[in-house]
Amino acid sequence: MSKSKSLPLRAIFKVWKELGLPDDFEDSVICQNPHIFSLQDAHEPHTHILKLVDEFPLRHLRPAVEDWRVTECNPSGMRLSKNFRAKVKEWQSLPYMGPYEELREMKPSKVGMRRLEKRAVAIAHEFLSLTVEKTIEVEKISHFRKWFEIELNMRDLFLDHPGIFYLSTKGKRHTVFLREAYERGRLINPNPVYNVRRKLLDLVVMGRHQFPCDN
């Protein structure tokens, strides 16, 4: 989703668990798929750049946001003000921009800024869709802001779109969830990695009950 089709490897290391990557993903995923990825020297100590190879067919990829159907326009049992309905209509009329589209000459106008905002929402939505539990700490996703060319504050972006994102705050820790992926605190469409992690957690909890620690 980076316009340069590249990311610092250290940024991937910060979210490898959230993305469901194996411990040795640098060898088992990156190095084993040279037709998709390449590692380049970043000219900094202990840093490499992960890059998509030029031949990789990006045109065949379909973003998850394209499959999302808006539910905030007319939520059941909720009365929306005329002003708010107008803003929602304006927002929905703007097309989602792809991460590789040209961004020049968009900032000066109000519509340009809104398009940039919608682009940021689409990228954040796509990033969350790629995670195992459709959630991530705001601090971690913020490490990608520069590479995704998002100039907006990520926390403010999530707060401004509560129909798409849910922001949880515990102390100084802020975590964002993809609303559409959850129902009653559980993933609607759990994936194999999520299921394994839940079973492992259940075993850990069961073990604690069966073998209590001595006082």
mmCIF file of all heavy atoms in Angstrom, residues 132-151:
data_model
loop_
_atom_site.group_PDB
_atom_site.id
_atom_site.type_symbol
_atom_site.label_atom_id
_atom_site.label_comp_id
_atom_site.label_asym_id
_atom_site.label_seq_id
_atom_site.Cartn_x
_atom_site.Cartn_y
_atom_site.Cartn_z
ATOM 1 N N VAL A 132 -4.779 -10.276 11.724
ATOM 2 C CA VAL A 132 -5.454 -11.501 12.157
ATOM 3 C C VAL A 132 -6.748 -11.195 12.899
ATOM 4 O O VAL A 132 -7.789 -11.811 12.660
ATOM 5 C CB VAL A 132 -4.519 -12.336 13.054
ATOM 6 C CG1 VAL A 132 -5.265 -13.520 13.653
ATOM 7 C CG2 VAL A 132 -3.317 -12.817 12.250
ATOM 8 N N GLU A 133 -6.696 -10.214 13.814
ATOM 9 C CA GLU A 133 -7.853 -9.922 14.650
ATOM 10 C C GLU A 133 -8.531 -8.610 14.272
ATOM 11 O O GLU A 133 -9.349 -8.086 15.015
ATOM 12 C CB GLU A 133 -7.431 -9.905 16.123
ATOM 13 C CG GLU A 133 -6.867 -11.247 16.586
ATOM 14 C CD GLU A 133 -6.598 -11.286 18.082
ATOM 15 O OE1 GLU A 133 -7.313 -10.605 18.835
ATOM 16 O OE2 GLU A 133 -5.675 -12.010 18.495
ATOM 17 N N LYS A 134 -8.181 -8.059 13.102
ATOM 18 C CA LYS A 134 -8.783 -6.818 12.591
ATOM 19 C C LYS A 134 -8.639 -5.683 13.609
ATOM 20 O O LYS A 134 -9.526 -4.853 13.783
ATOM 21 C CB LYS A 134 -10.259 -7.018 12.235
ATOM 22 C CG LYS A 134 -10.554 -8.298 11.483
ATOM 23 C CD LYS A 134 -9.698 -8.455 10.245
ATOM 24 C CE LYS A 134 -9.966 -9.795 9.553
ATOM 25 N NZ LYS A 134 -9.005 -10.084 8.464
ATOM 26 N N THR A 135 -7.522 -5.659 14.260
ATOM 27 C CA THR A 135 -7.234 -4.646 15.265
ATOM 28 C C THR A 135 -5.735 -4.455 15.391
ATOM 29 O O THR A 135 -4.955 -5.371 15.092
ATOM 30 C CB THR A 135 -7.815 -5.052 16.638
ATOM 31 O OG1 THR A 135 -7.500 -4.043 17.606
ATOM 32 C CG2 THR A 135 -7.221 -6.369 17.116
ATOM 33 N N ILE A 136 -5.338 -3.246 15.831
ATOM 34 C CA ILE A 136 -3.915 -2.961 16.011
ATOM 35 C C ILE A 136 -3.772 -1.732 16.894
ATOM 36 O O ILE A 136 -4.688 -0.897 16.962
ATOM 37 C CB ILE A 136 -3.225 -2.722 14.641
ATOM 38 C CG1 ILE A 136 -1.705 -2.811 14.772
ATOM 39 C CG2 ILE A 136 -3.632 -1.378 14.052
ATOM 40 C CD1 ILE A 136 -0.996 -2.841 13.445
ATOM 41 N N GLU A 137 -2.649 -1.621 17.575
ATOM 42 C CA GLU A 137 -2.390 -0.428 18.363
ATOM 43 C C GLU A 137 -2.134 0.746 17.426
ATOM 44 O O GLU A 137 -1.456 0.603 16.404
ATOM 45 C CB GLU A 137 -1.179 -0.636 19.270
ATOM 46 C CG GLU A 137 -1.422 -1.615 20.412
ATOM 47 C CD GLU A 137 -0.215 -1.736 21.317
ATOM 48 O OE1 GLU A 137 0.478 -0.709 21.520
ATOM 49 O OE2 GLU A 137 0.051 -2.847 21.805
ATOM 50 N N VAL A 138 -2.684 1.893 17.769
ATOM 51 C CA VAL A 138 -2.543 3.083 16.930
ATOM 52 C C VAL A 138 -1.075 3.449 16.748
ATOM 53 O O VAL A 138 -0.653 3.860 15.665
ATOM 54 C CB VAL A 138 -3.330 4.264 17.533
ATOM 55 C CG1 VAL A 138 -3.094 5.543 16.727
ATOM 56 C CG2 VAL A 138 -4.817 3.941 17.583
ATOM 57 N N GLU A 139 -0.291 3.281 17.806
ATOM 58 C CA GLU A 139 1.133 3.609 17.722
ATOM 59 C C GLU A 139 1.830 2.777 16.660
ATOM 60 O O GLU A 139 2.700 3.272 15.937
ATOM 61 C CB GLU A 139 1.801 3.379 19.076
ATOM 62 C CG GLU A 139 3.286 3.721 19.094
ATOM 63 C CD GLU A 139 3.939 3.436 20.431
ATOM 64 O OE1 GLU A 139 3.223 3.028 21.368
ATOM 65 O OE2 GLU A 139 5.158 3.620 20.531
ATOM 66 N N LYS A 140 1.431 1.517 16.511
ATOM 67 C CA LYS A 140 2.079 0.637 15.543
ATOM 68 C C LYS A 140 1.714 1.009 14.110
ATOM 69 O O LYS A 140 2.572 1.021 13.221
ATOM 70 C CB LYS A 140 1.709 -0.821 15.830
ATOM 71 C CG LYS A 140 2.330 -1.369 17.105
ATOM 72 C CD LYS A 140 2.036 -2.840 17.279
ATOM 73 C CE LYS A 140 2.732 -3.399 18.518
ATOM 74 N NZ LYS A 140 2.504 -4.851 18.683
ATOM 75 N N ILE A 141 0.447 1.284 13.862
ATOM 76 C CA ILE A 141 0.045 1.642 12.503
ATOM 77 C C ILE A 141 0.595 3.020 12.123
ATOM 78 O O ILE A 141 0.820 3.314 10.945
ATOM 79 C CB ILE A 141 -1.491 1.595 12.338
ATOM 80 C CG1 ILE A 141 -1.860 1.644 10.845
ATOM 81 C CG2 ILE A 141 -2.172 2.716 13.091
ATOM 82 C CD1 ILE A 141 -3.336 1.457 10.585
ATOM 83 N N SER A 142 0.849 3.848 13.128
ATOM 84 C CA SER A 142 1.401 5.177 12.859
ATOM 85 C C SER A 142 2.811 5.111 12.280
ATOM 86 O O SER A 142 3.261 6.044 11.622
ATOM 87 C CB SER A 142 1.408 6.025 14.139
ATOM 88 O OG SER A 142 0.084 6.295 14.568
ATOM 89 N N HIS A 143 3.516 3.992 12.515
ATOM 90 C CA HIS A 143 4.854 3.832 11.959
ATOM 91 C C HIS A 143 4.815 3.767 10.428
ATOM 92 O O HIS A 143 5.832 3.996 9.766
ATOM 93 C CB HIS A 143 5.510 2.555 12.498
ATOM 94 C CG HIS A 143 5.975 2.670 13.915
ATOM 95 N ND1 HIS A 143 7.051 3.453 14.285
ATOM 96 C CD2 HIS A 143 5.508 2.120 15.062
ATOM 97 C CE1 HIS A 143 7.227 3.373 15.600
ATOM 98 N NE2 HIS A 143 6.307 2.569 16.090
ATOM 99 N N PHE A 144 3.636 3.460 9.880
ATOM 100 C CA PHE A 144 3.505 3.336 8.431
ATOM 101 C C PHE A 144 2.972 4.610 7.789
ATOM 102 O O PHE A 144 2.862 4.685 6.573
ATOM 103 C CB PHE A 144 2.565 2.176 8.094
ATOM 104 C CG PHE A 144 3.087 0.836 8.509
ATOM 105 C CD1 PHE A 144 2.891 0.360 9.811
ATOM 106 C CD2 PHE A 144 3.776 0.037 7.617
ATOM 107 C CE1 PHE A 144 3.369 -0.880 10.190
ATOM 108 C CE2 PHE A 144 4.267 -1.208 7.989
ATOM 109 C CZ PHE A 144 4.061 -1.662 9.282
ATOM 110 N N ARG A 145 2.625 5.598 8.588
ATOM 111 C CA ARG A 145 1.968 6.809 8.091
ATOM 112 C C ARG A 145 2.807 7.512 7.020
ATOM 113 O O ARG A 145 2.300 7.905 5.967
ATOM 114 C CB ARG A 145 1.692 7.759 9.262
ATOM 115 C CG ARG A 145 0.777 8.915 8.917
ATOM 116 C CD ARG A 145 0.286 9.584 10.198
ATOM 117 N NE ARG A 145 1.382 10.140 10.953
ATOM 118 C CZ ARG A 145 1.804 11.407 10.841
ATOM 119 N NH1 ARG A 145 1.220 12.221 9.981
ATOM 120 N NH2 ARG A 145 2.795 11.856 11.567
ATOM 121 N N LYS A 146 4.083 7.674 7.272
ATOM 122 C CA LYS A 146 4.965 8.341 6.317
ATOM 123 C C LYS A 146 5.037 7.568 5.014
ATOM 124 O O LYS A 146 4.982 8.147 3.922
ATOM 125 C CB LYS A 146 6.363 8.497 6.927
ATOM 126 C CG LYS A 146 7.403 9.019 5.951
ATOM 127 C CD LYS A 146 8.787 9.022 6.586
ATOM 128 C CE LYS A 146 9.868 9.402 5.577
ATOM 129 N NZ LYS A 146 11.226 9.350 6.193
ATOM 130 N N TRP A 147 5.148 6.247 5.092
ATOM 131 C CA TRP A 147 5.307 5.423 3.901
ATOM 132 C C TRP A 147 4.021 5.330 3.094
ATOM 133 O O TRP A 147 4.055 5.132 1.882
ATOM 134 C CB TRP A 147 5.807 4.035 4.307
ATOM 135 C CG TRP A 147 7.204 4.099 4.846
ATOM 136 C CD1 TRP A 147 7.574 4.370 6.134
ATOM 137 C CD2 TRP A 147 8.414 3.952 4.110
ATOM 138 N NE1 TRP A 147 8.943 4.386 6.248
ATOM 139 C CE2 TRP A 147 9.485 4.129 5.018
ATOM 140 C CE3 TRP A 147 8.705 3.672 2.770
ATOM 141 C CZ2 TRP A 147 10.815 4.035 4.625
ATOM 142 C CZ3 TRP A 147 10.032 3.580 2.371
ATOM 143 C CH2 TRP A 147 11.072 3.760 3.292
ATOM 144 N N PHE A 148 2.882 5.466 3.786
ATOM 145 C CA PHE A 148 1.594 5.463 3.093
ATOM 146 C C PHE A 148 1.201 6.862 2.618
ATOM 147 O O PHE A 148 0.139 7.046 2.035
ATOM 148 C CB PHE A 148 0.503 4.919 4.009
ATOM 149 C CG PHE A 148 0.647 3.461 4.339
ATOM 150 C CD1 PHE A 148 0.017 2.929 5.457
ATOM 151 C CD2 PHE A 148 1.399 2.616 3.542
ATOM 152 C CE1 PHE A 148 0.134 1.577 5.768
ATOM 153 C CE2 PHE A 148 1.538 1.270 3.844
ATOM 154 C CZ PHE A 148 0.902 0.745 4.962
ATOM 155 N N GLU A 149 2.055 7.847 2.944
ATOM 156 C CA GLU A 149 1.812 9.250 2.594
ATOM 157 C C GLU A 149 0.486 9.746 3.174
ATOM 158 O O GLU A 149 -0.316 10.374 2.496
ATOM 159 C CB GLU A 149 1.860 9.446 1.074
ATOM 160 C CG GLU A 149 3.225 9.154 0.477
ATOM 161 C CD GLU A 149 3.347 9.605 -0.964
ATOM 162 O OE1 GLU A 149 2.618 10.528 -1.367
ATOM 163 O OE2 GLU A 149 4.167 9.028 -1.693
ATOM 164 N N ILE A 150 0.290 9.451 4.452
ATOM 165 C CA ILE A 150 -0.872 9.941 5.191
ATOM 166 C C ILE A 150 -0.395 11.050 6.119
ATOM 167 O O ILE A 150 0.372 10.808 7.043
ATOM 168 C CB ILE A 150 -1.525 8.810 6.013
ATOM 169 C CG1 ILE A 150 -2.053 7.727 5.076
ATOM 170 C CG2 ILE A 150 -2.650 9.367 6.883
ATOM 171 C CD1 ILE A 150 -2.636 6.534 5.804
ATOM 172 N N GLU A 151 -0.852 12.260 5.876
ATOM 173 C CA GLU A 151 -0.411 13.402 6.679
ATOM 174 C C GLU A 151 -1.341 13.667 7.859
ATOM 175 O O GLU A 151 -1.045 14.502 8.704
ATOM 176 C CB GLU A 151 -0.315 14.642 5.792
ATOM 177 C CG GLU A 151 0.719 14.509 4.669
ATOM 178 C CD GLU A 151 0.885 15.794 3.881
ATOM 179 O OE1 GLU A 151 0.297 16.817 4.307
ATOM 180 O OE2 GLU A 151 1.593 15.780 2.861
#
